[in-house]
Structure formats: C-alpha cells, structure tokens
Amino acid sequence: MAAVVAGSWPCWPQSAPTWQSAAAHAARVTPKARIVVLDVRSGHLLASVNLDEAARTLAAPGSTLKPLVLYGLIADGRLDPSRRIACTRRLRIAGRSLNCSHPASDPMDARQALTWSCNTYFAVVGASLGPGELRRLLGPGGLLSQTGLAANEAIAELRDARTPDEASLALLGVDGIRVTPLELAMAYRWLAVQLAAHPASNAAQIVAAGLSDSASFGIAASASLGGVAVAGKTGTANRGAGTPSHGWFAGLVPAGRPSVVVVVYLPAGHGANAAGVAADLLAHSPLRRMRP
C-alpha cells in the first residue's frame, strides 16, 4: 500500500484523526480500494490508499460522469434543467441492460434525475450530444489528462461516439470511456471550484442540490452514514454482460462549502459499496472530529 500526505493541519492531540489515518481505517475492510483525498483549494493530495494503483487503474466511471456533464450542459445553455423525462426503469442500449434502480416516479427534471441517477434521463441527454461534445465538456475539468499527483500515471481513454447509442453509453460511463481514480478526483475538484465560483448560477444550484440530495436520501445515501454532510455520486460499471462490476464514489465534503474531494474506487463491488467506504473514512476524519 502506498500513501502520500500533503498539506498541513492544525496541531491535534496525538490521537486526533488525520485524513491519512481516516483513509487507512476505511481501507482495513477493503484493502484493495483505491482512495484519494484532495484539498479543493490547492489540489494537493491530502491522503491516499494504493496510490500507485490509483494512478494506473483505468476503469469505466459509470454514473460519476453525470454531474460533470450536467453542469457543463446547463452552464452552456444546452440543456433546460426543468425539462422532465419519463422513466419506466427499464433501459436497453445496444444490447446492454441498463435498468434504473430508483423507485417508480413521475417524469424527472435534472435535479431529480441526478439525485436518483436515472439512466433513462441521461441516456436521452447523451443521445442529443453532437460529435466531440462529450470530450469538450469533460476536457476542462482535467478528467482526460494526467494529474501530476503520482508517477507513471495512465491517461484516460475516450472514444468519440459515432452514433446516438454510443454517445448515451459514454455519458452513462459504461462504454467508450475509462479514467483513473486520480483523474476523477481532479475532475470533482474542478466541479467544486466551479460551484463555489458561480453559486448563483442555475448550473451550480441544480448540480449542488442534486449531489447533496443523492448523498442524503438518493442513490448515494450510504455516504451520509459517516456523520458528515456530503454531496456525492456513486457509479457502477463492468466490462460487459457477465463480467464483475466495479464501484465508485466521488464526493465533495462538507456539502455546501466543500473543502475536500473524496474518491473511492473498488475493483470489485458496486457504487453503494464505495459510498460505504467513504462514509467510514468520513466517520474517522478531521471533519468528524470538528463537529460540535
């Protein structure tokens, strides 16, 4: 296990938690987890578990792409967030079953779709993207380039979509794109900076609310069990039918005024499992210690 701690914290008693001790604690049950904790302001690495693997692992990001794309489309005026899309919870694209796991509901708007990670909503959005548009949306956040946080980093792979189905699968993060945990952490740091810089914008308000709702009562709700308010997103993907799933959680902490990005990648598992690891980390983190 490789671990790096950067940045400084107030002088705690010897037994007080640090981000590195919290990450190490969270990894005790899941030793193969890749865990990354970044400082939002500086982009410095505050803690990590299995850093070498986090730098070299390329995996489909699943639904963790949804808030990044949603922010860009709303900010560019390309998407009306009040538009509602009906979902039957059954979805199949190019032979892949991508059924939704959220409860039955009325047609969802952008905030609700992010809260409940509605694949149907985002598949419709993905099918509307033009050639190269997903690359343009994801590029500025650093998701598609090396982060400089570790040596010998792999570089994200994105295959430009040729059909609406390919565009939908890419936006859903299940085919045509692979990223590293370090790249995803840096992209969520970019998102946190954007939310803080444009708090009154429609894009910031909807994405921030959707992420907070997701980690409070939505698909990523298990992340809130750590006792720290968190805004975040889970992701689950695999290499195709019959192959094992891997899980992600990417979160901004604390919700409302995030100072830290937490990313958890599990090579075997689901997004809910990764959110549980994040909750364990937060329960033993300096933010938990600072609660009144």
Side-chain angles (χ1 to χ4, degrees):
M1 178 177 76
V4 174
V5 181
S8 61
W9 289 91
C11 184
W12 298 104
Q14 189 171 7
S15 60
T18 66
W19 283 110
Q20 186 58 49
S21 68
H25 186 281
R28 290 190 304 176
V29 177
T30 54
K32 292 185 179 180
R34 286 73 152 147
I35 299 175
V36 180
V37 182
L38 290 186
D39 179 75
V40 168
R41 180 180 299 177
S42 66
H44 290 165
L45 193 63
L46 297 174
S48 67
V49 172
N50 294 322
L51 179 61
D52 290 343
E53 289 82 354
R56 295 194 299 265
T57 297
L58 283 170
S63 294
T64 60
L65 286 190
K66 292 173 180 175
L68 301 171
V69 176
L70 189 63
Y71 179 85
L73 288 174
I74 297 174
D76 289 350
R78 284 274 288 107
L79 176 68
D80 176 4
S82 67
R83 177 192 177 192
R84 293 181 177 273
I85 296 174
C87 177
T88 65
R89 295 186 292 169
R90 299 186 67 82
L91 179 65
R92 194 168 185 85
I93 303 175
R96 296 190 66 140
S97 177
L98 297 163
N99 294 339
C100 289
S101 58
H102 59 72
S105 74
D106 294 332
M108 295 186 185
D109 61 17
R111 175 176 174 175
Q112 293 168 319
L114 184 56
T115 298
W116 295 107
S117 198
C118 179
N119 284 344
T120 297
Y121 180 98
F122 285 96
V124 171
V125 172
S128 72
L129 298 181
E133 190 166 8
L134 185 62
R135 185 180 297 275
R136 181 183 64 79
L137 288 166
L138 297 176
L143 184 69
L144 305 179
S145 56
Q146 290 179 323
T147 68
L149 295 172
N152 302 315
E153 286 186 74
I155 302 176
E157 300 171 353
L158 174 60
R159 183 177 69 243
D160 289 325
R162 298 165 297 179
T163 67
D165 279 356
E166 288 184 354
S168 292
L169 291 172
L171 194 159
L172 294 174
V174 298
D175 191 47
I177 182 168
R178 298 196 303 160
V179 304
T180 70
L182 289 183
E183 289 169 328
L184 188 65
M186 194 61 81
Y188 268 70
R189 183 227 170 196
W190 171 86
L191 181 61
V193 170
Q194 295 301 308
L195 298 181
H198 310 285
S201 71
N202 211 15
Q205 291 183 358
I206 288 167
V207 171
L211 288 175
S212 293
D213 291 348
S214 179
S216 177
F217 60 84
I219 291 296
S222 55
S224 66
L225 299 178
V228 176
V230 55
K233 188 75 193 69
T234 54
T236 302
N238 56 42
R239 292 181 175 273
T243 62
S245 295
H246 56 264
W248 297 86
F249 176 78
L252 310 179
V253 197
R257 299 189 65 182
S259 59
V260 173
V261 173
V262 174
V263 167
V264 176
Y265 169 79
L266 300 179
H270 295 81
N273 305 125
V277 174
D280 193 12
L281 184 155
L282 294 172
H284 296 86
S285 73
L287 288 178
R288 177 65 171 170
R289 179 61 176 259
M290 292 165 63
R291 285 168 59 87

